[in-house]
Amino acid sequence: MTPQAVLSQPLTLRCGVPIKNRLFKSAMSEALGNRERAPTPELVRLYGAWADGGIGLCITGNVMIDRRALGEPGNVVIEDDRHMAELKAWAQAATRNHTQCWVQLNHPGKQSPKGLNKETVSPSAVPFRPEMQLLFATPRELTDAEIRDLIARYARAAGLVKQAGFTGVQIHGAHGYLVSQFLSPHHNRRTDEWGGSPEKRRRFVLEVYRAMRAAVGSDFPIGIKLNSADFQRGGFSEEESLDVIRALEAEGIDLVEISGGTYEAPAMTGVKQQPVKDSTRQREAYFLAFAEKARQAVKVPLVVTGGFRSIEGMAAAIESGAVDCVGLARALALETDLPNRLLAGQQPRYQVRPIKTGIRAIDNKGILEITWYTGQLKRIGRGEAPKPDESGLWVFIKMVGAQMGVGRKKKVTRVRAT
């Protein structure tokens, strides 16, 4: 088969839902929610562009389940039906052209910048490493009652997603957010029923899945984005990740997207990746070796996101049997019609490159990558073309300036209030 023929094959999930091709848009933070935490016309325009661009399965950027716990400014929050009209408009645009669009549901846990929320919470009160404590506060440990409330919030949000017209949901269980924190022995040092052993650490994600499944029924897809590992000393390991995938498959999960890393060790962006052999580099994907191990353990559809550069590399990953779909993210911030090009046998116009300022302390953190690509998504949402050559240093300067402006506004408000 030609590479484009491989990528054009449909895939039917275990719940019976068909995906029209093997191209999967992984979640990227858009930061396009309004002050009420509702979807905006810019989100509608952005997701309509991706739907028209030919993607088979599109995952939204992280949507929060609790407005008291934002991951970044501009998050959409789904707690109740107050913004159902806006959610339906977003879903209608995102699912046109027979596109599957799933909402990624998330809670940041401790991984939220200082000043964004009143407080941050986590399974345990474990601080960030010293050089990141200027940006991230030490969290408060969650109570048992709060944990159970969070599980209910995931389920309620999933039901609202289905009501809005989206075609599935994805649990964000990777990249150091709350579900990932529960799974990690570094972040989760509890000794109650929610921690203390691998079985207890994965209880939270299993309870979240069960509650969501009860809310949406058996024929509505639920997937998960899961770390292959945290890449932190004492963190979530590949062995534990495989056990979590086995447990989720037994529960009925429809698809597993494999990634890795946290804000402290951002392997998902390619930053601080360990040296690899030429043979591994030629296969392109960051986490394909782990996917091969997972494929030996489970039959649930698998996706790997990160590192794909060519149509041949994408097709080879699928033909190997290790994955069922190939995940694309940053490339789709540079060209929204990339899937149509790939399915026509054409190569990407642009190659994803590391975003650098030339300042090592900044370049080693994942936050610059997130900010740069979020800027591209905002351009598309405004109806403008992306800027693939935009300076990383300039984006960093604008980010700092914006934060300083917010700080000045807050200070003025406090002065006036007194």
Side-chain angles (χ1 to χ4, degrees), residues 232-274:
Q232 288 182 274
R233 186 185 299 274
F236 188 56
S237 68
E238 288 194 356
E239 291 73 21
E240 287 189 63
S241 184
L242 289 172
D243 286 340
V244 172
I245 295 172
R246 290 187 187 99
L248 286 166
E249 181 183 49
E251 294 283 340
I253 198 89
D254 291 293
L255 183 144
V256 176
E257 180 189 2
I258 296 167
S259 191
T262 68
Y263 278 13
E264 293 179 278
M268 62 285 193
T269 67
V271 177
K272 298 180 72 174
Q273 284 283 303
Q274 297 297 319

Side-chain angles (χ1 to χ4, degrees), residues 174-187:
H175 300 175
Y177 295 112
L178 184 67
V179 172
S180 177
Q181 290 163 33
F182 267 97
L183 290 169
S184 171
H186 171 72
H187 299 290

Side-chain angles (χ1 to χ4, degrees), residues 65 105-108 149-159 171-172 178-179 204 208 211-212 215:
I65 60 167
L105 295 177
N106 191 19
H107 186 292
D149 175 69
L150 289 171
I151 293 168
R153 285 175 174 273
Y154 274 99
R156 184 163 55 250
I171 303 166
H172 199 336
L178 184 67
V179 172
F204 181 74
V208 165
M212 290 171 67

Side-chain angles (χ1 to χ4, degrees), residues 69-273:
L70 304 177
E72 55 269 322
N75 279 149
V76 171
V77 176
I78 299 180
E79 290 181 312
D80 49 43
D81 63 0
R82 75 182 76 177
H83 301 306
M84 186 54 65
E86 293 92 336
L87 288 169
K88 286 183 174 180
W90 184 13
Q92 184 175 15
T95 57
R96 67 189 185 213
N97 195 25
H98 304 290
T99 305
Q100 289 283 323
C101 185
W102 299 1
V103 173
Q104 184 186 77
L105 295 177
N106 191 19
H107 186 292
K110 64 190 282 186
Q111 204 162 256
S112 182
K114 282 184 177 179
L116 185 59
N117 304 308
K118 178 181 276 188
E119 63 174 352
T120 55
V121 294
S122 187
S124 302
V126 179
F128 280 78
R129 65 178 189 238
E131 63 269 30
M132 297 188 72
Q133 290 175 17
L134 182 64
L135 298 174
F136 298 95
T138 299
R140 175 180 63 78
E141 183 176 293
L142 286 160
T143 67
D144 180 81
E146 288 172 327
I147 292 171
R148 296 178 190 278
D149 175 69
L150 289 171
I151 293 168
R153 285 175 174 273
Y154 274 99
R156 184 163 55 250
L160 292 164
V161 165
K162 182 178 181 179
Q163 181 183 341
F166 290 96
T167 59
V169 289
Q170 184 191 61
I171 303 166
H172 199 336
H175 300 175
Y177 295 112
L178 184 67
V179 172
S180 177
Q181 290 163 33
F182 267 97
L183 290 169
S184 171
H186 171 72
H187 299 290
N188 182 353
R189 303 182 186 181
R190 304 176 72 97
T191 57
D192 62 2
E193 57 190 308
W194 303 103
S197 70
E199 293 78 14
K200 290 182 177 180
R201 286 194 295 274
R202 62 176 172 262
R203 182 186 173 198
F204 181 74
V205 69
L206 292 176
E207 293 294 342
V208 165
Y209 171 80
R210 291 165 184 157
M212 290 171 67
R213 179 59 74 197
V216 300
S218 61
D219 59 351
F220 191 75
I222 301 177
I224 188 168
K225 185 170 194 169
L226 188 70
N227 274 356
S228 58
D230 286 351
F231 303 99
Q232 288 182 274
R233 186 185 299 274
F236 188 56
S237 68
E238 288 194 356
E239 291 73 21
E240 287 189 63
S241 184
L242 289 172
D243 286 340
V244 172
I245 295 172
R246 290 187 187 99
L248 286 166
E249 181 183 49
E251 294 283 340
I253 198 89
D254 291 293
L255 183 144
V256 176
E257 180 189 2
I258 296 167
S259 191
T262 68
Y263 278 13
E264 293 179 278
M268 62 285 193
T269 67
V271 177
K272 298 180 72 174
Q273 284 283 303

